[in-house]
């Protein structure tokens, strides 16, 4: 087995890697939403604009918010006609009922107060409009589970108000608590083929949980745990296959 380069983590590069990984979830959710020309569509936590770039082909009127100025700079280059603003999920800079559709991916499960964040999504959606929330549920397989469990065990759990949103069951609960009429949900599976152990590590560091673990324990220590769990997955040509499971739910705004 060859050596694996330990690269710096975080920032725009990791975000773009992660957005490409989640592209199947974006595509499935947008297909379920079905925006049309003129649909007022907001992406909360838009990052570098990958999901909105997919939505742009529908002719929808696009808007997005993110708390990271560097990510928004990249999104503005890709989407010069979109209304992109710096803001926090729990305090959206819009009046009540501004949008026909609002979507968020992974923005809710890492919020300090998921219920407040979902309530904000509902607030800016017009009555009868739709809120779509997606989760990257997990990397399937015992090796990935063992790695994530190991790094999470080294990281203090951030305080949250109420149970964390880690699965579709809890997501639906939070959406109902926010006054949304949840009418659809689905799971999306996708297989990633990594050419090397290095490529799989690069992908893993795009996970917020892994990124936080690296901040706490250091990149070398996190990398050692990764290699201990993933090196045995390499096939004869050095490549690795990994299944991803995504989930999303749709809820109709009622007020």
């Amino acid at each position: 087995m060859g050596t694996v380069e330990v690269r710096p983590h975080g920032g725009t590069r990791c975000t773009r890697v992660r957005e490409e990984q989640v592209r199947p979830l974006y595509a499935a959710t947008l297909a379920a939403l079905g925006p049309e020309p003129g649909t007022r569509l907001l992406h909360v936590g838009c990052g570098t604009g990958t999901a909105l770039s997919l939505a742009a082909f529908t002719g929808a009127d696009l808007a997005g918010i993110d708390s990271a100025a560097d990510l928004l700079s990249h999104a503005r280059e890709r989407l010069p006609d979109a209304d992109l603003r710096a803001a926090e999920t729990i305090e959206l800079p819009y009046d009540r009922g501004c949008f026909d559709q609002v979507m968020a991916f992974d923005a809710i499960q890492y919020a300090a107060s998921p219920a407040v964040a979902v309530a904000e999504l509902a607030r800016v959606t017009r009555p009868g409009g739709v809120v779509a929330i997606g989760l990257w549920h997990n990397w399937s397989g015992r090796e990935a589970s063992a790695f994530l469990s190991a790094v999470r065990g080294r990281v203090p759990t951030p305080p949250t108000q109420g149970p964390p949103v880690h699965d579709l069951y809890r997501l639906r609960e939070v959406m109902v608590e926010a006054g949304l009429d949840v009418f659809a949900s689905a799971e999306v599976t996708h297989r990633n083929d990594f050419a090397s152990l290095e490529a799989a590590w690069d992908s893993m560091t795009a996970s917020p949980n892994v990124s936080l673990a690296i901040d706490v324990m250091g990149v070398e220590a996190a990398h050692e745990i990764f290699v201990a769990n993933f090196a045995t997955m390499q096939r004869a040509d050095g490549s690795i296959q990994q299944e991803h499971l995504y989930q999303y739910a749709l809820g109709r705004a009622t007020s």
Side-chain angles (χ1 to χ4, degrees):
M1 183 187 71
T3 59
V4 178
E5 180 182 357
V6 181
R7 298 181 179 177
H9 72 287
T12 303
R13 183 190 66 81
C14 275
T15 299
R16 297 196 78 157
V17 169
R18 181 172 176 80
E19 289 177 1
E20 286 305 313
Q21 292 169 346
V22 184
R23 183 181 283 266
L25 174 61
Y26 297 158
T29 306
L30 283 166
L33 279 173
E36 300 176 343
T39 297
R40 298 168 297 169
L41 174 64
L42 171 67
H43 183 186
V44 175
C46 65
T48 68
T50 300
L52 285 176
S53 294
L54 294 177
F57 291 102
T58 69
D61 292 335
L62 306 179
I65 70 104
D66 204 282
S67 61
D70 57 335
L71 303 184
L72 282 174
S73 177
H74 284 268
R76 290 186 179 109
E77 291 177 4
R78 302 171 76 179
L79 299 155
D81 295 327
D83 176 13
L84 304 176
R85 307 184 190 184
E88 297 290 341
T89 304
I90 60 172
E91 193 172 358
L92 299 178
Y94 306 105
D95 294 333
R96 180 178 297 275
C98 278
F99 296 97
D100 302 306
Q101 298 174 347
V102 177
M103 60 184 185
F105 304 96
D106 278 354
I108 300 305
Q109 69 197 92
Y110 299 110
S113 178
V116 171
V118 175
E120 269 294 273
L121 305 189
R123 181 185 67 81
V124 301
T125 306
R126 66 165 175 82
V130 179
V131 173
I133 302 176
L135 307 174
W136 183 356
H137 183 58
N138 68 9
W139 286 54
S140 64
R142 60 183 179 83
E143 294 86 358
S145 297
F147 169 66
L148 291 173
S149 295
V151 295
R152 285 172 182 158
R154 308 279 189 93
V155 178
T157 303
T160 59
Q161 298 179 21
V165 180
H166 289 322
D167 56 37
L168 195 55
Y169 179 80
R170 177 57 184 152
L171 174 60
R172 292 173 64 97
E173 280 189 336
V174 172
M175 293 176 72
V176 170
E177 291 167 6
L180 294 168
D181 176 19
V182 179
F183 63 90
S185 59
E187 293 187 337
V188 180
T189 58
H190 179 73
R191 191 186 76 186
N192 273 43
D193 293 299
F194 300 109
S196 64
L197 193 61
E198 176 186 347
W201 165 250
D202 209 31
S203 177
M204 268 289 191
T205 59
S207 163
N209 284 321
V210 176
S211 184
L212 180 58
I214 290 173
D215 287 336
V216 172
M217 73 173 71
V219 67
E220 293 284 355
H223 177 257
E224 288 179 7
I225 297 172
F226 169 80
V227 171
N229 285 282
F230 274 81
T232 57
M233 293 179 63
Q234 282 188 291
R235 295 179 292 183
D237 62 358
S239 65
I240 290 176
Q241 288 185 342
Q242 185 64 56
E243 296 287 337
H244 296 270
L245 174 62
Y246 311 102
Q247 300 174 325
Y248 69 88
L250 306 181
R252 190 167 286 107
T254 57
S255 61

